[in-house]
Amino acid sequence: QVQLVESGGGLVQAGGSLKLSCAASGTIFRLNTMNWYRQAPGNQRELVATITSGGSRNYDDSVKGRFSISRDNAKNTVYLQMNSLKPEDTAVYFCHLWKGTDYWGKGTQVTVSS
């Protein structure tokens, strides 16, 4: 029912910035909490940022102060602005929501070089 498509990943040097997008279809996502997760090779998938239907935002300590999550309800899109990127941020980044079941995007690769 719900489809999520991430974009905006790429290769960037340490200290650089990227902005990820997650386009949602099949739902009014403004009524749902939206999340960004990431998974690096050999690691478990971890939650990095959350934005609620009311606009409240939460971040994992590892990205707090560097990443910013936002949403544009008119475009049915959630964003993740990533600044001051570090090599340890290298991972596949996934968009996620809960609406009776888990909905996941297929992910976008972010690679940060030293």
Side-chain angles (χ1 to χ4, degrees), residues 29-98:
F29 86 101
R30 67 181 300 272
L31 300 178
N32 298 282
T33 294
M34 301 287 292
N35 307 294
W36 283 100
Y37 284 77
R38 68 185 180 188
Q39 187 167 21
N43 293 159
Q44 291 188 286
R45 192 168 297 184
E46 63 178 354
L47 177 64
V48 297
T50 294
I51 185 166
T52 70
S53 60
S56 297
R57 302 167 184 179
N58 287 284
Y59 302 93
D60 184 78
D61 287 342
S62 66
V63 306
K64 199 169 187 177
R66 301 187 297 119
F67 290 13
S68 179
I69 188 171
S70 62
R71 63 200 301 166
D72 185 333
N73 292 330
K75 296 181 179 180
N76 281 341
T77 301
V78 63
Y79 304 96
L80 186 67
Q81 178 68 52
M82 305 183 294
N83 299 321
S84 302
L85 283 162
K86 304 174 181 180
E88 48 264 47
D89 295 319
T90 295
V92 178
Y93 284 72
F94 297 91
C95 184
H96 166 269
L97 69 80
W98 169 261

